[in-house]
Amino acid sequence: MIPQNFKDILSNADNVGFYQTLALILFILFFASLIIYVFSKPKKYYQEEEHAPLGDDEDDFNLKN
């Protein structure tokens, strides 16, 4: 029998609960580490970067002229 969708594949596999739990744990760990990384940066880093897209660069003036 050829499985018709992912539900059929996962319902017949062994240790499905383990793989789902492992995927959830890895997902949570990734985003928790991302949040920790973002909040561990000093505020000065973000204050310098918040005006970066609006800053005037000399390269922009050379391209326009």
Side-chain angles (χ1 to χ4, degrees):
M1 181 177 151
I2 298 173
Q4 298 297 319
N5 55 27
F6 288 113
K7 184 178 179 182
D8 292 338
I9 294 170
L10 292 176
S11 66
N12 296 328
D14 295 332
N15 299 326
V16 175
F18 172 73
Y19 294 130
Q20 291 174 347
T21 304
L22 182 64
L24 179 65
I25 290 171
L26 291 175
F27 181 79
I28 291 171
L29 286 175
F30 173 75
F31 282 104
S33 62
L34 186 65
I35 289 171
I36 291 169
Y37 173 75
V38 167
F39 282 110
S40 68
K41 291 280 188 177
K43 283 188 176 182
K44 186 177 180 182
Y45 173 79
Y46 294 111
Q47 289 172 349
E48 291 173 358
E49 295 296 325
E50 69 184 356
H51 297 293
L54 303 176
D56 293 331
D57 293 334
E58 291 180 13
D59 294 335
D60 292 340
F61 291 119
N62 292 335
L63 292 175
K64 292 178 184 176
N65 293 332

